[in-house]
Amino acid sequence: MSLEANKAFAAVLTAGICFMVAGLVGGLVVHPQRLDKPAIETGEVVTAAAPAAPAALEPIAPLLASANVENGRTIASRQCAACHTFTEGGRNAVGPNLYGVVGGPHAHREDFNYSPAMKALHEKPWDYEALNAFLNRPAAAIPGTRMAFAGLNQAQQRADVIAYLRSLAGSPVPLP
């Protein structure tokens, strides 16, 4: 073995012995005293209550009668256009093209790779209440969806967006 290797081994051994001795001396010098009661009283332990059920989503049908398509277009261009396109025959982006989505089936585009959760609902049409629930909280409406959007909290905004999406069709689905 070389002299340098011996020096390195001796340094490690010496450091270990120093730390061991320091621990022993510290234990002899410092005598911790256990407290009879906690230094800070936190009060009674309260068990957590079951989480409250989410509030029922108000029906969207009454709001659709007064929904504003232009407001819906503005909201969609701000909130949805980063991932979706809206033109007839348009390309898919991160999300599918939404032309003709109202009244169409879930997973309505054959050329888009939907999540298994969305594909499982292919036979179910996108009616107004399904769109309302999905736009409110996508992950709660369809657990397992890949859509990472948090949702629109205001019912009137959802109604406006749904009215806009309804206008994106050759023959729009009748209002309820």
Side-chain angles (χ1 to χ4, degrees), residues 60 67-84 86 98 135-136 147 149 151-165 168:
I60 202 71
N68 185 319
V69 174
E70 286 307 312
N71 285 349
R73 179 188 323 269
T74 303
I75 294 166
S77 68
R78 276 193 254 131
Q79 301 288 331
C80 312
C83 298
H84 297 281
F86 304 97
L98 296 179
L135 289 173
N136 181 53
M147 188 162 156
F149 180 61
L152 295 172
N153 294 331
Q154 295 179 10
Q156 189 59 55
Q157 285 184 338
R158 292 192 305 272
D160 292 346
V161 170
I162 292 169
Y164 169 62
L165 293 175
L168 301 176

Side-chain angles (χ1 to χ4, degrees), residues 133-151:
F134 191 72
L135 289 173
N136 181 53
R137 288 190 48 217
I142 302 178
T145 185
R146 290 185 191 139
M147 188 162 156
F149 180 61

Side-chain angles (χ1 to χ4, degrees), residues 7-166:
K7 287 180 187 178
F9 181 71
V12 171
L13 187 60
T14 303
I17 291 171
C18 287
F19 285 123
M20 183 183 74
V21 170
L24 291 173
V25 170
L28 293 173
V29 173
V30 178
H31 300 287
Q33 183 180 12
R34 297 260 182 223
L35 299 176
D36 295 333
K37 62 179 187 167
I40 300 174
E41 292 292 331
T42 58
E44 289 184 38
V45 176
V46 179
T47 58
L57 195 60
E58 66 180 277
I60 202 71
L63 296 174
L64 287 174
S66 64
N68 185 319
V69 174
E70 286 307 312
N71 285 349
R73 179 188 323 269
T74 303
I75 294 166
S77 68
R78 276 193 254 131
Q79 301 288 331
C80 312
C83 298
H84 297 281
T85 58
F86 304 97
T87 57
E88 183 176 9
R91 64 171 179 74
N92 294 318
V94 173
N97 179 299
L98 296 179
Y99 187 89
V101 71
V102 178
H106 286 61
H108 71 286
R109 295 283 302 241
E110 298 296 325
D111 60 344
F112 187 77
N113 184 22
Y114 291 96
S115 66
M118 189 68 76
K119 287 179 186 175
L121 296 172
H122 179 71
E123 299 303 318
K124 184 179 175 189
W126 277 116
D127 61 20
Y128 294 113
E129 293 306 326
L131 282 166
N132 182 35
F134 191 72
L135 289 173
N136 181 53
R137 288 190 48 217
I142 302 178
T145 185
R146 290 185 191 139
M147 188 162 156
F149 180 61
L152 295 172
N153 294 331
Q154 295 179 10
Q156 189 59 55
Q157 285 184 338
R158 292 192 305 272
D160 292 346
V161 170
I162 292 169
Y164 169 62
L165 293 175
R166 176 183 173 266

